[in-house]
Amino acid sequence: WDETEPLTEELYLQRVLDHAVKIHEELRKIKDKEEKDALISPQVSSCQRTAQLEKVKTRDVISASSDEDDSEAETKRCKSKSVQLKCGDVIEYYNPIFVFGDERGLKTATILAVNPKTSPVLKLSSDDVLPIETLVKRIKIMVRGKLLDNEEKGEFNGIEWYKLWKDEKNNANRALNIQKEAKRCRDIVVKAQERFKKKVQKIGLGDCTEMMTSFK
């Protein structure tokens, strides 16, 4: 028994040592893994942050583009119904029987009357009948009784895009003014002719009525 006791103690110590070495190896592996994860984590976080930033930038670009489109549409919508088609305006359009852009169908006409409750809405000097969706461009505009050039500023828009107020009374007044002016001019000519006839008769050349144009 005395001879085996040291051997038993040696075996016991060897088992304890082996167990301690095994635990030490496991602890070392765990520590190495933690250190490796600590090195990888910042890189992953950096990549994640970069990806998030790129995502945000992409979203902002799309949002900005969408905002610009919305802003442009809103600007055009706000501008719509603020531009009025009036009697006396001269418009340019393509005859509906032609494709838009076909120079053979390009025409101009003066607006004689506007009535949004009738069809067609516009009465034109050309007598063309334009559907409400026809694209027209104001090339001359009536401002305080004067016709001003609008060729560069004018744009093609559908008739329904413009502000359409009933404008027939002004047209009637304009026609009445033309008639009054024509009568005034006729009276001036007739009076001048009468004076001329009297002078001719006075100098003995007889009646020259047949030689004169009759104004009625």
Side-chain angles (χ1 to χ4, degrees):
W1 176 258
D2 292 340
E3 294 179 357
T4 60
E5 185 175 351
L7 180 59
T8 302
E9 183 177 358
E10 182 180 353
L11 291 173
Y12 175 74
L13 292 175
Q14 184 63 43
R15 289 178 61 185
V16 171
L17 179 61
D18 291 343
H19 182 68
V21 170
K22 184 177 180 181
I23 292 175
H24 176 74
E25 287 296 325
E26 290 179 354
L27 290 175
R28 185 178 63 79
K29 289 179 180 180
I30 292 172
K31 185 176 180 181
D32 289 345
K33 186 176 183 304
E34 289 178 348
E35 290 178 351
K36 186 179 294 184
D37 289 343
L39 291 174
I40 294 175
S41 181
Q43 296 177 356
V44 172
S45 298
S46 176
C47 291
Q48 290 176 342
R49 286 196 299 272
T50 302
Q52 290 176 350
L53 288 173
E54 290 297 328
K55 187 176 180 180
V56 170
K57 288 180 180 179
T58 302
R59 186 176 68 245
D60 290 344
V61 169
I62 294 174
S63 177
S65 177
S66 177
D67 289 344
E68 288 178 0
D69 293 341
D70 292 343
S71 177
E72 183 177 351
E74 180 66 16
T75 299
K76 189 171 181 63
R77 186 187 69 79
C78 291
K79 185 178 178 182
S80 174
K81 304 302 181 182
S82 65
V83 179
Q84 183 181 355
L85 286 177
K86 304 186 296 294
C87 285
D89 288 350
V90 179
I91 61 172
E92 188 175 75
Y93 59 94
Y94 288 90
N95 192 306
I97 66 173
F98 290 91
V99 177
F100 181 84
D102 190 334
E103 293 298 325
R104 294 175 299 172
L106 185 60
K107 300 186 69 175
T108 60
T110 300
I111 298 176
L112 302 180
V114 181
N115 190 341
K117 295 184 179 180
T118 63
S119 181
V121 173
L122 304 179
K123 180 176 177 58
L124 304 176
S125 60
S126 62
D127 289 329
D128 283 334
V129 176
L130 302 182
I132 192 70
E133 64 274 9
T134 304
L135 299 176
V136 302
K137 172 184 176 181
R138 300 188 310 160
I139 58 175
K140 292 184 180 181
I141 56 177
M142 185 63 69
V143 179
R144 297 176 182 175
K146 294 183 179 180
L147 203 56
L148 305 180
D149 183 72
N150 193 59
E151 179 74 29
E152 294 184 1
K153 295 181 180 180
E155 297 178 351
F156 279 102
N157 294 290
I159 294 175
E160 77 279 5
W161 181 87
Y162 294 92
K163 182 188 295 184
L164 301 170
W165 286 353
K166 188 173 181 180
D167 191 6
E168 294 179 326
K169 183 178 179 181
N170 291 339
N171 185 60
N173 290 339
R174 187 175 297 109
L176 182 61
N177 291 335
I178 292 175
Q179 291 177 0
K180 289 181 178 179
E181 182 65 16
K183 184 177 182 301
R184 187 181 70 84
C185 293
R186 183 178 65 247
D187 292 343
I188 292 174
V189 173
V190 170
K191 289 179 180 179
Q193 287 181 336
E194 290 297 328
R195 289 196 299 269
F196 179 74
K197 284 168 58 178
K198 289 179 180 179
K199 289 183 178 179
V200 170
Q201 290 174 355
K202 188 177 181 179
I203 60 177
L205 295 179
D207 188 4
C208 60
T209 303
E210 295 181 357
M211 300 172 57
M212 296 182 180
T213 302
S214 177
F215 288 88
K216 297 181 180 180

